[in-house]
Amino acid sequence: MKMKTKKNLYIIIAILIAAVLCLCACGRETEGTAESGSRINMDTRPGSHLASRLEDFTFTTYDGESLSLYETLQEKDMVLINIWATWCGPCRMEFPYMEEAYEDYKDSVEIFALSCETDDTDEVLEDFAGELGLTFPVGRDSAGLSYTFRVNAIPTSIVIDRFGTICFIEAGSQTSADSFRRLFDAFVGDDYTESVFLSEIPPESAEEETKGGIRIYTLSFKDQDGNPVKDVTVNVCDDTSCTPMTSNSRGIVRFIQPGFTYHIQVVSVPDGYAYDGDDEVYLSAEGGITKFILSKP
């Protein structure tokens, strides 16, 4: 009886997950095989995207319009990139909410709805957009962003602010237009003068903010001469679990989370380097920069 109960629980959990995202295997092209547009050459390791600058890219909508990220940002405050596919139920579910919010914000917000499914031809996309009444640009992920961001669940939403900075990444569908409005509000307006990084969509009410303020945590890895060290693998841990992350080409690991006393475990360093510091380093709940020095004999 206990085994049956546990099995039923797993089934319920699986159904709930499927209701908000598609664990996916999009028909992604491998690196270097994009049909058109520009291939993005970015660090694809987990934890390396937020607060990085996304290179410019172009894509063509199903009706033949060519759009580039940075030309769009000359006119808009932000671009929401949505990675999706026509077969994905949660993707279809959130598009009407996205369209409703877009109608209110289209003077300052652009949406690039990019299908990562190779079978989603221009004709398929045109029929889909027409059926749902979508007025924002819809096309194929010809720049390979699903590869760049290692998208393994759709829909995935990525916010690029007016400075070209990656400020928000989230997998899963939104269930109201207000969710998109709150997301857009964080990046538009004349008072947006520096990049803001979000780990979640801003809460609907002040009461929800009691979960803890969002903090930016930065780990800096350098050798004794001050040179950045990439490919340092760490575990970022709270009291219940650990998440592996790897330093990028600037020797940086950055994550954005509610304020908490996280601790860091240095798991491995590149060949030719050694780490002689503490096995576990505790971070301030206020966020900020924590420096790690590696020796290079």
Side-chain angles (χ1 to χ4, degrees), residues 15 27 64 83-84 88 94 144 149 161 163 165 172-173 183 225 228 241 245 249-250 259 266 276 290:
I15 292 172
I83 307 296
W84 66 288
C88 166
E94 80 167 352
F149 289 94
D161 74 359
F163 308 116
T165 303
S173 61
L183 179 63
D225 297 322
S241 63
M245 295 186 180
S249 58
R250 294 177 288 118
V266 178
D276 301 320
T290 302

Side-chain angles (χ1 to χ4, degrees), residues 34-48:
E35 292 180 1
S36 62
S38 54
R39 169 67 62 180
I40 306 302
N41 181 21
M42 271 186 61
D43 189 339
T44 57
R45 289 182 292 271
S48 63

Side-chain angles (χ1 to χ4, degrees), residues 138-166:
V138 176
R140 292 188 57 203
D141 179 25
S142 56
L145 296 181
S146 58
Y147 171 84
T148 298
F149 289 94
R150 289 194 172 176
V151 171
N152 56 21
I154 56 175
T156 288
S157 292
I158 304 159
V159 169
I160 312 300
D161 74 359
R162 67 187 66 181
F163 308 116
T165 303
I166 303 165

Side-chain angles (χ1 to χ4, degrees), residues 83-105:
I83 307 296
W84 66 288
T86 55
W87 50 259
C88 166
C91 301
R92 173 184 286 269
M93 180 186 72
E94 80 167 352
F95 272 135
Y97 303 122
M98 191 185 299
E99 174 65 31
E100 182 181 340
Y102 178 69
E103 287 297 323
D104 296 336
Y105 285 80

Side-chain angles (χ1 to χ4, degrees), residues 61-191:
T61 63
Y62 65 79
D63 54 356
E65 182 182 7
S66 180
L67 297 172
S68 82
L69 174 65
Y70 281 96
E71 286 182 2
T72 301
L73 287 174
Q74 290 178 9
E75 301 177 359
K76 308 288 185 177
D77 288 348
M78 60 159 281
V79 170
L80 172 65
I81 300 170
N82 186 262
I83 307 296
W84 66 288
T86 55
W87 50 259
C88 166
C91 301
R92 173 184 286 269
M93 180 186 72
E94 80 167 352
F95 272 135
Y97 303 122
M98 191 185 299
E99 174 65 31
E100 182 181 340
Y102 178 69
E103 287 297 323
D104 296 336
Y105 285 80
K106 60 185 177 182
D107 289 341
S108 54
V109 170
E110 192 56 274
I111 296 174
F112 292 171
L114 304 179
S115 171
C116 58
E117 175 54 64
T118 55
D119 290 337
D120 283 347
T121 63
D122 287 343
E123 292 76 13
V124 171
L125 294 177
E126 182 175 12
D127 290 344
F128 186 93
E131 177 187 349
L132 295 184
L134 306 182
T135 61
F136 44 77
V138 176
R140 292 188 57 203
D141 179 25
S142 56
L145 296 181
S146 58
Y147 171 84
T148 298
F149 289 94
R150 289 194 172 176
V151 171
N152 56 21
I154 56 175
T156 288
S157 292
I158 304 159
V159 169
I160 312 300
D161 74 359
R162 67 187 66 181
F163 308 116
T165 303
I166 303 165
C167 292
F168 174 79
I169 306 173
E170 183 175 85
S173 61
Q174 302 304 320
T175 57
S176 72
D178 282 342
S179 294
F180 285 108
R181 293 186 182 102
R182 294 197 304 274
L183 179 63
F184 297 162
D185 279 338
F187 301 101
V188 302
D190 294 337
D191 57 345

Side-chain angles (χ1 to χ4, degrees), residues 10 27 33 35 46 56 63 75 84 127 133 164 190 194 215 222 238-239 255 258 283 292:
Y10 291 155
T33 63
E35 292 180 1
D56 196 15
D63 54 356
E75 301 177 359
W84 66 288
D127 290 344
D190 294 337
E194 59 182 22
R215 301 287 187 268
K222 294 184 178 180
D238 57 24
D239 288 340
F255 59 100
L283 307 183
F292 295 78

